[in-house]
Amino acid sequence: YSWILYIAFFLWWYFTGYGLGGKDPAEYSYVLGLPMWFFISCVVGYVLFCVVSVLVVKLLFKDFDLEEVSDEE
């Protein structure tokens, strides 16, 4: 799951960064002073994948004890 998340994040970053940022800078629209492609690629992508990572850990990963259990217990 970690590799899938990493690949998905990289694809998000790549296609939104290069896909939306591949035009003349005079035509850019801005959000909070940042170009839209940068905002979507870096800010929105970071927040989105942080939330998705937390959900994946909560829903798909298992909790297990790391301490060894002896036969006496």
Side-chain angles (χ1 to χ4, degrees):
Y1 297 118
S2 299
W3 280 103
I4 292 169
L5 278 175
Y6 176 75
I7 291 168
F9 180 63
F10 177 77
L11 291 174
W12 172 278
W13 173 81
Y14 185 83
F15 286 115
T16 55
Y18 286 108
L20 298 175
K23 56 184 176 181
D24 183 28
E27 299 175 10
Y28 288 166
S29 55
Y30 293 88
V31 175
L32 300 174
L34 301 170
M36 177 70 83
W37 65 267
F38 183 84
F39 184 78
I40 292 174
S41 178
C42 296
V43 177
V44 173
Y46 176 74
V47 172
L48 175 70
F49 279 92
C50 282
V51 170
V52 171
S53 296
V54 168
L55 289 174
V56 165
V57 168
K58 295 267 186 200
L59 299 175
L60 299 176
F61 286 9
K62 280 195 219 177
D63 186 23
F64 60 91
D65 192 16
L66 294 175
E67 293 184 22
E68 290 185 34
V69 178
S70 65
D71 292 336
E72 296 172 1
E73 295 179 19

